[in-house]
Structures are given as C-alpha cells and as structure tokens.
Amino acid sequence: MSRLLLAPMEGLLDDVLRDVLTRVGGYDLAVSEFIRVSGTLLPQRSFVRVCPELARSGRTRAGTPLVVQLLGSDPNCLADNAGQLSRLAPAGIDLNFGCPAAKVNRHGGGATLLADPEQLFRIASSVRRAVPAGMPFSAKMRLGVRDTSRTLECARALADGGVDSLVVHARTRAEGYRPPAHWEWVARICEVVAQPVAANGDVWTIADYRRCRAVSGCRDVMLGRGAVADPFLARNIRRVMAGEDDDGEVDRSADWQELLPLLASYWQQVCAKVAPQHAPGRLKLWLAALRPNFAGAAALFLAIRPLRTVDEVNQRLWQHGVLAAAGDGRPPDAG
C-alpha cells in the first residue's frame, strides 16, 4: 500500500496548516517542522509548543499521525532529547539532514551534515538506542551538499545507523528548490538500502506523482510545496489511485468554495497563535502559494497585500466571503 506523507516546511507548514491540510484528507502521516536541539535537554513543554498534537495522542484533529522532527549535530544531545520526546508518544521521531537554510547549516545542522557520512552514522546509531523499540525512527536527507558524490554513502550510513525508513528530497543543498528534482537518484538509493524510502520534491500534480513513483521506484511519496499550493492534491491522488476519478480537469471553482471555510479556520487559528502584527503576513504567505491554482486566492491576495492589521484583514475576508463561509458571526462594522 502506497503512503502519502505531509512534509515539514519551516515557517509555513506548522500545526495550524497541518490541521487544515489533514482535514481535507489523503495523508497517512505528517512530519512536524524541525525542533532545534543544541546542547541542552529540552523540557517536554518545548516539544508540545511546536507540536500541540502531542497533547492529542500525537495526531492532528483529523486523526493523522504526527512524526516529530529533530535537528542538531551532537549525537548524545540528540539521543537525550529523542528519549525525552519519546515519553510524549509521538507517531515517530525523525532526524533532519535536509534543511538547506544557511542559518541552520552555519551551526552544523541540516543538509551540511551530508558532507560527513561517519557523523550521520554516529547520530543515527546514538538516537536509535534512545528511541523505544516499536516507535518508528526515520531520517530525511538530500542528495548531498554540492554534488552527489557521497549520496549513496550517506544513505547507507543512516541505514546502518538503524533508521527504519528514509525520506529523500531529490536535490542537493546547493540546488535548493530549483527544478528539476532528480528522482533517478532516489531509485539508486533504493538499490543500496533495505529500508523503505519515500521520494520528495517537485510533486505538484497527479501527473508529477505518477512520474515520481515511476522514476524513483518508491511506493511512498512526501508532498511539500505542492500540498501547500493545492490543499486537495493528496485527496485527488487518492481518488485517482483508487480508480474513482480520471486525470481530467479539476473543478477549481468547487474546490475554492470548499477551501473558504478552511481559510477562515486557518486565519482564526493564526490570530490566536501569533502576535497581531505577524498574523496578516502568515495569511499572505499561504495565499501567495495558492494563487497559481485558485483565481479566488489570487484576487484575495491582491486585496489584502497592502493591509497591516488584523481588523483590516477581517474586513477584506468578509468582503470576499471567507468568514461568511465559516458562519463566523456577523461582519465587522465597515465604518
């Protein structure tokens, strides 16, 4: 059985957006944005702050299991924190060797560790000993730092270190998110490790999903930016794979109407979570991602782009039918 995984995306795909996307459906599990581990044992509240799902048996409100991702470079510190995290019973623990961000890599975390397969092995084997038997333990990696010269060595190091599964973002750190994703390299990794491998990168459509699986040879696929840009992608893939739909045109007007109350829920949760001055920016960020697929999102983005306050955004959301679709009381006073 093929699985669809919802990717972590630092700064965007947090617990609020996970809630919305998993309510649409189609995902077998989600992976949290990374929790940085740097020299100290984090209290349990630090994990719950990033992943409130841990207070709900490690699942989103829709019931999707959540794997919690750790980022760091010290084997012992990561192991100690993995042990601490395991007491909260997440659906799994994942290690980040894929983040390409310079601020992360400067401190020895994320994709920069792919230059040192021996360190990958030390980290994985140390964390493996701390993660209880029966709790899934995984890692996410890229193809390398600047090239693919050590790709297979890195994959073997993580496999030998004891991970149960791998997710591979099919680009190097230097390539960032520039297309194309090199799914053929994921196929090569599958040839040298016994563990299940999931492919990640550049899956925006059902056709992309089919090509990714064909080229990579993977049954499991992780969706990231494609899921944020099209909240219905996973559900539509499920329907096509089950033979319920063909690959024809998607009715985006119907999808937009279904998305309106989810946008309202997203906005309300963001307002409750972040400082008022930051809330409009979060909504703009998601609407910008939605624009290529939804004309309504493009119009709404243009309408709220110059706005700076929560009250101003509320006015526009009422005018565009977003808050009305959620049945959220009465519109604010236009005066």
Side-chain angles (χ1 to χ4, degrees), residues 242-309:
E244 298 174 14
D245 287 322
D246 57 25
D247 290 0
E249 288 294 319
V250 175
D251 183 357
R252 284 302 179 192
S253 61
D255 281 350
W256 177 246
Q257 291 304 309
E258 184 178 350
L259 186 55
L260 288 178
L262 296 173
L263 271 170
S265 176
Y266 176 78
W267 170 244
Q268 290 157 353
Q269 290 185 68
V270 164
C271 288
K273 178 179 179 177
V274 307
Q277 64 268 29
H278 300 310
R282 290 288 299 274
L283 181 60
K284 294 172 192 178
L285 192 61
W286 190 25
L287 286 172
L290 292 169
R291 283 188 300 170
N293 288 312
F294 302 96
L300 184 55
F301 174 79
L302 291 175
I304 71 167
R305 183 169 59 178
L307 307 182
R308 295 291 179 267
T309 71

Side-chain angles (χ1 to χ4, degrees), residues 115-294:
D116 189 353
E118 293 80 9
Q119 184 70 351
L120 297 185
F121 173 80
R122 287 190 287 269
I123 290 172
S125 57
S126 184
V127 173
R128 173 73 278 175
R129 289 189 292 271
V131 175
M135 180 173 287
F137 170 44
S138 57
K140 185 178 183 185
M141 61 175 282
R142 282 180 171 250
L143 299 181
V145 179
R146 295 180 182 82
D147 56 45
T148 56
S149 60
R150 308 196 80 175
T151 300
L152 302 183
E153 191 179 355
C154 287
R156 288 193 196 97
L158 292 170
D160 292 345
V163 300
D164 297 312
S165 61
L166 278 174
V167 175
V168 180
H169 184 114
R171 298 181 177 90
T172 65
R173 185 191 72 176
E175 289 172 322
Y177 296 95
R178 295 191 303 274
H182 308 291
W183 298 325
E184 67 279 4
W185 268 99
V186 184
R188 294 187 64 180
I189 289 172
C190 291
E191 292 173 355
V192 302
V193 302
Q195 290 87 336
V197 177
N200 173 228
D202 271 6
V203 177
W204 300 90
T205 65
I206 293 170
D208 292 337
Y209 170 80
R210 290 185 183 278
R211 287 194 299 271
C212 177
R213 286 195 58 188
V215 175
S216 70
C218 294
R219 294 188 307 170
D220 300 341
V221 174
M222 176 174 276
L223 306 179
R225 292 177 301 151
V228 173
D230 181 0
F232 305 99
L233 178 58
R235 190 176 73 184
N236 290 335
I237 288 172
R238 286 285 183 216
R239 288 175 174 174
V240 170
M241 294 300 102
E244 298 174 14
D245 287 322
D246 57 25
D247 290 0
E249 288 294 319
V250 175
D251 183 357
R252 284 302 179 192
S253 61
D255 281 350
W256 177 246
Q257 291 304 309
E258 184 178 350
L259 186 55
L260 288 178
L262 296 173
L263 271 170
S265 176
Y266 176 78
W267 170 244
Q268 290 157 353
Q269 290 185 68
V270 164
C271 288
K273 178 179 179 177
V274 307
Q277 64 268 29
H278 300 310
R282 290 288 299 274
L283 181 60
K284 294 172 192 178
L285 192 61
W286 190 25
L287 286 172
L290 292 169
R291 283 188 300 170
N293 288 312
F294 302 96

